[in-house]
Amino acid sequence: LVTAKVSDYLIFKQCLEIINNGEHLTEKGLLKIISLKSSLNWGLSLKLIKTFPNVIPVKRLEYNFNLIPDPFWLAGFTSGDGSFHLNIKKSDSNKNNRVSIRFSINLHIREAEVLKGLVIYLNTLNKPSHPLGKTKEGRTEVKAMLNLKNKYVYNTNKTVSLTITKISEIIEVIIPFFDKYPVQGLKSLDFVDFKKVAMMIVAKEHLTIEGLNRILEIKLNMNQHRKW
């Protein structure tokens, strides 16, 4: 596991060991599981908090992001949490509609370093001489970059988002990457449509009535609108 979910896994593993040893059948063991659960994922439900008001949460193990391991991990991660999105906005002039595309990933705020690391990883894909993760100096350089403000990563109180909308970056980085390392499941069909519209934008087909109607048709059958 690469994200902060590794801490949840270790707590989950402790709970499993308690159950495997039959300790959950005792009051002490049950309270220990409740204490562990209070630090797992989103914590205890309101009902459990009311039932066990004196439980002290265990301290979560410290998590340190250790860079993106390989492109296959990124493809799998995107299959679960990524989004290929089309947006069509009516222009103020009422003459043309504005078509834009977006690649994004939205996560819990605790994963901010992961998304920054993902951007760094994508930026160095076409630079084979870059020492990303290959040397001690390279890893130190990347760690320092994680502390810098990243124009692609946006934070709120509870969430963090990676958003890439620039057509040149989508054409030169995002599409070639997922062509080589495909996403899996139904999202692979969204990527195909996403790529199709990106190419139409480059060819300026979106500026024609025929092209815009085709894009509207594609959008109406993508993501949550897709029939499966």
Side-chain angles (χ1 to χ4, degrees):
L1 294 172
V2 174
T3 69
K5 194 167 289 185
V6 67
S7 296
D8 292 322
Y9 164 69
L10 293 174
I11 292 175
F12 171 85
K13 185 178 177 182
Q14 290 182 62
C15 292
L16 179 60
E17 290 172 350
I18 292 172
I19 294 171
N20 202 37
N21 293 329
E23 297 175 41
H24 64 297
L25 301 176
T26 68
E27 181 180 357
K28 182 179 179 181
L30 178 60
L31 290 176
K32 188 174 181 180
I33 286 182
I34 297 298
S35 180
L36 287 164
K37 179 174 171 55
S38 64
S39 296
L40 180 66
N41 299 320
W42 295 99
L44 300 180
S45 65
L46 292 176
K47 184 176 181 180
L48 281 176
I49 290 174
K50 185 176 180 180
T51 305
F52 302 95
N54 299 318
V55 166
I56 300 175
V58 298
K59 184 178 180 181
R60 287 175 63 88
L61 294 177
E62 185 179 354
Y63 161 74
N64 292 303
F65 172 59
N66 198 31
L67 308 184
I68 305 299
D70 56 60
F72 298 102
W73 181 89
L74 178 51
F77 189 66
T78 302
S79 297
D81 291 294
S83 175
F84 300 101
H85 185 75
L86 308 182
N87 186 48
I88 301 175
K89 184 178 181 181
K90 193 172 184 180
S91 67
D92 295 334
S93 64
N94 292 320
K95 293 181 178 180
N96 291 308
N97 288 320
R98 184 171 179 269
V99 178
S100 61
I101 57 180
R102 181 180 73 238
F103 168 67
S104 63
I105 298 178
N106 302 303
L107 300 172
H108 189 280
I109 187 63
R110 67 184 185 180
E111 308 291 6
E113 277 199 350
V114 175
L115 292 189
K116 288 183 179 180
L118 195 155
V119 173
I120 295 169
Y121 184 82
L122 289 173
N123 282 338
T124 57
L125 283 177
N126 298 323
K127 302 173 184 176
S129 61
H130 193 280
L132 176 63
K134 297 177 182 178
T135 66
K136 182 178 180 180
E137 292 75 15
R139 293 175 72 84
T140 300
E141 179 186 347
V142 173
K143 286 290 186 180
M145 293 169 71
L146 291 175
N147 295 322
L148 300 176
K149 187 175 180 179
N150 194 302
K151 68 177 181 178
Y152 300 97
V153 179
Y154 307 87
N155 294 354
T156 65
N157 289 334
K158 294 184 178 181
T159 64
V160 59
S161 301
L162 160 69
T163 303
I164 298 176
T165 58
K166 192 174 181 180
I167 189 66
S168 61
E169 294 172 338
I170 288 172
I171 291 292
E172 295 169 12
V173 179
I174 300 301
I175 288 176
F177 179 85
F178 290 111
D179 273 341
K180 188 173 183 179
Y181 306 101
V183 294
Q184 303 298 312
L186 280 175
K187 197 165 291 181
S188 64
L189 302 180
D190 292 328
F191 170 71
V192 170
D193 287 338
F194 177 85
K195 177 181 176 180
K196 191 180 301 180
V197 173
M199 298 306 177
M200 292 177 69
I201 292 174
V202 171
K204 299 189 182 304
E205 294 178 43
H206 63 299
L207 300 178
T208 68
I209 294 177
E210 296 80 5
L212 181 60
N213 286 337
R214 176 59 181 145
I215 291 173
L216 282 167
E217 182 182 348
I218 291 172
K219 177 178 171 61
L220 290 174
N221 289 283
M222 279 184 67
N223 299 317
Q224 70 268 26
H225 302 297
R226 187 179 299 281
K227 296 179 181 179
W228 54 279

